């Protein structure tokens, strides 16, 4: 599941996104063609990294987003992100996983087993 933060503005307002990117120190800016002939082209600022959200997006929004419909949308998004991370913890920074067989501390090859235990179970 992806929790991407996006801000889309008219292409003429791109300098505002550049300032936001500079202030946060994260994210990317890209151009999006209009979906209809009479619409203006857009510039989009996007952050997709969970760590970037934790370090920059969430503190920024908590501090500066005023009470409004967007604040309610942000609160729901943040709650969904917290729930997703609670249900799907990652092992980043915790080292390699260890074999599920008792007294075996070798790294996992697949299915929670080290190479030798994996070969014994699967025959491959």
């Amino acid at each position: 599941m992806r929790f991407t933060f996006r801000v889309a503005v008219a292409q003429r307002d791109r300098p505002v996104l550049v300032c936001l990117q500079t202030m946060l120190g994260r994210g990317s800016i890209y151009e999006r063609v209009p979906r209809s002939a009479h619409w203006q082209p857009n510039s989009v600022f996007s952050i997709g990294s969970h760590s970037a959200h934790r370090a920059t997006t969430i503190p920024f929004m908590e501090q500066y987003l005023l009470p409004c419909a967007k604040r309610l949308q942000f609160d729901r998004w943040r709650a969904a992100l917290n729930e997703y991370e609670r249900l799907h913890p990652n092992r980043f920074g915790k080292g390699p996983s260890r074999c599920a067989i008792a007294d075996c501390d070798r790294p996992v090859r697949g299915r929670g087993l080290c190479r030798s235990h994996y070969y014994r179970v699967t025959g491959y």
Side-chain angles (χ1 to χ4, degrees):
M1 186 170 201
R2 215 144 147 109
F3 293 90
T4 302
F5 170 74
R6 285 192 188 108
V7 177
V9 297
Q11 201 170 39
R12 67 174 182 260
D13 296 327
R14 189 177 201 278
V16 173
L17 297 182
V18 172
C19 289
L20 180 62
Q21 182 184 33
T22 302
M23 186 179 80
L24 293 177
R26 309 222 184 211
S28 59
I29 299 173
Y30 61 92
E31 307 304 320
R32 187 168 57 189
V33 296
R35 289 184 274 173
S36 182
H38 62 279
W39 291 3
Q40 294 185 8
N42 288 335
S43 293
V44 180
F45 173 72
S46 177
I47 296 178
S49 161
H50 281 210
S51 62
H53 286 310
R54 289 281 173 218
T56 58
T57 310
I58 292 174
F60 176 82
M61 294 299 219
E62 286 173 340
Q63 185 172 356
Y64 294 109
L65 193 59
L66 298 173
C68 63
K70 281 292 179 190
R71 179 62 188 228
L72 295 174
Q73 183 182 19
F74 165 73
D75 290 339
R76 286 191 305 268
W77 172 85
R78 183 185 54 206
L81 177 65
N82 290 338
E83 182 66 11
Y84 177 81
E85 289 179 346
R86 185 183 70 77
L87 295 173
H88 302 90
N90 68 30
R91 294 195 40 82
F92 181 74
K94 298 177 184 171
S97 297
R98 297 293 168 203
C99 183
I101 303 297
D103 297 328
C104 181
D105 62 348
R106 289 179 284 189
V108 167
R109 182 213 186 266
R111 297 184 185 175
L113 302 171
C114 67
R115 183 174 298 276
S116 61
H117 289 116
Y118 181 85
Y119 287 149
R120 286 182 205 159
V121 170
T122 63
Y124 295 102

